[in-house]
Amino acid sequence: MYSFYKAVVVVFGPEYLRESTAADSERLLAINAERGFSGMLDSVDLFARIAEGHCPEVNFEINGHQYNKGYYLADGIYPEWSTLVKTIPNPQEEKRQMFS
């Protein structure tokens, strides 16, 4: 198994296991903006980089308020940070259920 994992890293590492670039961030921002999530970078797969304070600068506006950092969709196990947007626990109304 170890040899298999090592081979996967060698073969796929340069493309899929590398750090994000500015171009990657721009691509993700554009895709998510089309989906109605302006300023959202990605899911919390990049959590380690956020925890280290490495967050690409992103400028967007929602309801007349300017933001300069992107956000990530997360669930309840993550800390209460402004860059982590969590779902509504136990949503009761249809609109809230749809958001969740």
Side-chain angles (χ1 to χ4, degrees), residues 4 7 15-16 25 37 40 47 55 58 66-67 73 77 80 84 87 100:
F4 172 74
E15 185 173 351
Y16 297 105
S25 294
F37 293 100
M40 187 184 91
F47 182 71
C55 214
V58 177
Q66 289 286 347
Y67 296 90
L73 297 181
I77 67 168
E80 296 290 329
L84 301 177
T87 187
S100 294

Side-chain angles (χ1 to χ4, degrees), residues 9 12-25 27-28 45-46 49:
V9 170
F12 297 106
E15 185 173 351
Y16 297 105
L17 302 176
R18 62 177 173 73
E19 288 192 29
S20 298
T21 64
D24 293 332
S25 294
R27 182 179 52 79
L28 290 170
D45 298 336
L46 304 172
R49 297 212 15 97

Side-chain angles (χ1 to χ4, degrees), residues 56-74:
E57 186 173 323
V58 177
N59 295 300
F60 64 100
E61 180 180 331
I62 294 180
N63 295 332
H65 189 272
Q66 289 286 347
Y67 296 90
N68 65 357
K69 290 192 177 169
Y71 63 91
Y72 301 82
L73 297 181

Side-chain angles (χ1 to χ4, degrees), residues 5 10 15 34 36 41-42 46 54 67 72 86 89 94:
Y5 293 139
V10 168
E15 185 173 351
E34 286 178 18
L41 290 168
D42 205 351
L46 304 172
H54 303 290
Y67 296 90
Y72 301 82
K86 298 179 183 182
E94 184 178 346

